[in-house]
Amino acid sequence: MLMRTDPFREIDRLAQQAFGAASGTWSRPAAMPMDAYRHGDEFVVEFDLPGVDPTAIELSVERNVLTVRAERRPSLRDENVEMQVSERPLGVYSRQLFLGESLDTEHVHADYRAGVLTLRIPVAEKAKPRTIAVSSADDADRREISA
């Protein structure tokens, strides 16, 4: 049997269940924590999804809106199992990101490792910095004389 050392943990768990902060449903999904940053010519977004099976993750892009949905399902247990503690949240998680025109949404790469979903979105070619050659009237006059 497990011993509890935090007398307020049960109150926290009940508050999360009552207010739906820790788990979600398909009609009211819970948010998932994320980090987002630019690394060179890529925009990187990392989502915390511990305990989620990769087959339960859905990604879609529509009109520059990236939607991530995932479901953390209960693990299969024998019917003879008697739960003593159940604190790991289950349910549906969702997050939408509005991607700017400067990102190439046709080439999004997704990777899921150790409970973290990492998306890499390349910066579009049209948004990358480039140099522009400057010409002058003197160059055009020189070309006409030498011709």
Side-chain angles (χ1 to χ4, degrees):
M1 180 155 208
L2 297 175
M3 300 291 291
R4 290 187 186 267
T5 57
D6 182 0
F8 299 105
R9 182 177 295 247
E10 188 65 18
I11 294 170
D12 289 341
R13 187 184 66 78
L14 291 172
Q16 286 178 345
Q17 284 181 342
F19 299 115
S23 62
T25 64
W26 282 105
S27 60
R28 287 198 117 166
M32 61 188 82
M34 70 170 215
D35 289 337
Y37 54 92
R38 183 169 174 167
H39 182 255
D41 288 337
E42 288 184 318
F43 186 69
V44 181
V45 186
E46 297 172 331
F47 297 94
D48 278 349
L49 293 170
V52 173
D53 188 295
T55 60
I57 300 172
E58 297 176 10
L59 297 172
S60 65
V61 176
E62 183 179 346
R63 292 186 180 178
N64 287 359
V65 176
L66 171 74
T67 303
V68 180
R69 291 179 74 89
E71 183 176 8
R72 186 169 180 191
R73 300 175 182 133
S75 54
L76 299 175
R77 292 188 177 93
D78 187 292
E79 60 187 42
N80 297 328
V81 171
E82 182 181 331
M83 288 298 293
Q84 298 297 314
V85 177
S86 180
E87 296 177 346
R88 298 171 57 219
L90 305 174
V92 180
Y93 302 87
S94 179
R95 192 82 183 244
Q96 286 189 318
L97 300 176
F98 294 94
L99 305 177
E101 296 292 327
S102 63
L103 297 176
D104 183 1
T105 58
E106 297 293 321
H107 296 97
V108 177
H109 179 265
D111 183 48
Y112 182 72
R113 288 187 187 160
V116 178
L117 174 65
T118 302
L119 303 181
R120 297 186 180 281
I121 309 164
V123 174
E125 287 298 322
K126 66 182 179 182
K128 291 181 182 176
R130 60 188 183 282
T131 58
I132 300 170
V134 178
S135 63
S136 68
D138 293 338
D139 293 339
D141 290 341
R142 282 188 213 140
R143 282 190 217 130
E144 288 180 16
I145 295 173
S146 63

